[in-house]
């Protein structure tokens, strides 16, 4: 057990979990129960571009005697590539956070409708099929379109859908609005939160070092280095940078329920790093058992 001035928390910690408020398949309370069943004792809910699952997850975590860190995975883009910024313990009522996430979610809706329209020209798929795969109020994304395609027997699973009709190179793909990564980081930081780049060493390779410097200047706290999508040599470069700059490093599963093979606890974050995240934040308090 570790403690700081504000409360106590237990290892192991998994700080990247999705519910059906975005593209996970389980409601927030079930996500906390799944994490607990995999031995997790400190958990963050990090749905894409929404904080709507926080209250349910916090209540479930408390009943399981877990520590809960409210979080979010904010969509950003640099040139052609998507960049995901995890934000922890920011103020969910901050005006800039609300404006930005509302704009992204609205764009996601328009974009999903446009993708549905394009897909319907060649496939037996309607917008209603996608709505049927999306929880009410959830942040809609390509995974919901994938689920509709699976339900219609057009593809086998989400992975198959992402490799074919949902791929950015596909004629059916439409981009969503997303802020640049510096804006994403600054928005979280200015709302009292702790911004960490999610899976920063994925197959797309490293972000340019100039951009990383600007993100650090804007308040970037660290990198999610423990994640199944991170690969060398980018991972080694970021490990070295984190050491030199004394940045926060996290490890997490990116659990999506049945939507991905990732399982809670497959990567975890050290007590020391959880304590640093909590100490750095001023937007929202964690929920301690
Ligand atoms: P979107 O933000 O709507 O463009 O969709 C991206 C989301 O799809 C990411 O959050 C991932 O969690 C999910 N995703 C990406 N690739 C796959 C895949 N191969 N299988 C399942 N989910 C995926
Ligand atoms: Fe996702
Ligand atoms: Fe992500
Ligand atoms: Zn994620």
């Amino acid at each position: 057990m570790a403690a700081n001035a504000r409360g106590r928390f237990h290892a192991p910690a998994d700080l990247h979990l999705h519910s059906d408020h975005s593209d996970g398949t389980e409601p927030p309370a079930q996500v906390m129960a799944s994490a607990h069943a995999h031995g997790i004792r400190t958990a963050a809910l990090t749905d894409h571009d929404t904080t709507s699952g926080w209250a349910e997850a916090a209540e479930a975590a408390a009943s399981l005697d877990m520590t809960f860190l409210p979080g979010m995975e904010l969509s950003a883009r640099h040139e052609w590539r998507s960049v995901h910024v995890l934000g922890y313990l920011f103020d969910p009522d901050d005006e800039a956070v609300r404006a930005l996430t509302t704009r992204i979610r609205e764009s996601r809706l328009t974009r999903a409708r446009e993708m549905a329209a394009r897909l319907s020209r060649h496939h037996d798929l309607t917008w209603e099929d996608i709505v049927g795969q999306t929880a009410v109020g959830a942040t809609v994304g390509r995974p919901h379109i994938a689920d509709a395609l699976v339900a219609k027997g057009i593809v086998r699973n989400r992975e198959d859908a992402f490799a074919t009709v949902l791929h950015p190179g596909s004629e059916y793909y439409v981009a969503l609005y997303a802020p640049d990564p510096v804006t994403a980081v600054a928005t979280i930081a200015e709302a009292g939160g702790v911004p960490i780049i999610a899976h920063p060493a994925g197959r797309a390779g490293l972000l340019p070092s100039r951009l990383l410097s600007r993100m650090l200047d804007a308040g970037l706290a660290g990198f999610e280095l423990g994640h199944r999508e991170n690969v060398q040599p980018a991972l080694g470069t970021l490990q070295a940078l984190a050491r030199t700059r004394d940045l926060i490093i996290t490890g997490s599963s990116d659990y999506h329920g049945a939507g991905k093979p990732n399982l809670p606890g497959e990567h975890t974050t050290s007590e020391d790093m959880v304590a640093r995240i909590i100490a750095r934040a001023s937007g929202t308090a964690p929920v301690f058992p």
Side-chain angles (χ1 to χ4, degrees), residues 23 48 84 108 111 141-143 158-159 162 176 256 259-260:
D23 56 354
H48 298 284
H84 286 173
R108 285 176 160 284
R111 173 259 202 156
R142 281 181 290 161
R158 281 189 182 185
E159 195 170 349
F162 273 90
L176 55 95
H256 281 69
K260 279 189 174 184

Side-chain angles (χ1 to χ4, degrees), residues 37-59:
H38 281 86
I40 296 303
R41 296 296 175 264
T42 295
L45 187 73
T46 54
D47 278 310
H48 298 284
D49 311 311
T50 185
T51 62
S52 64
W54 286 10
E56 181 183 321
E59 190 182 333

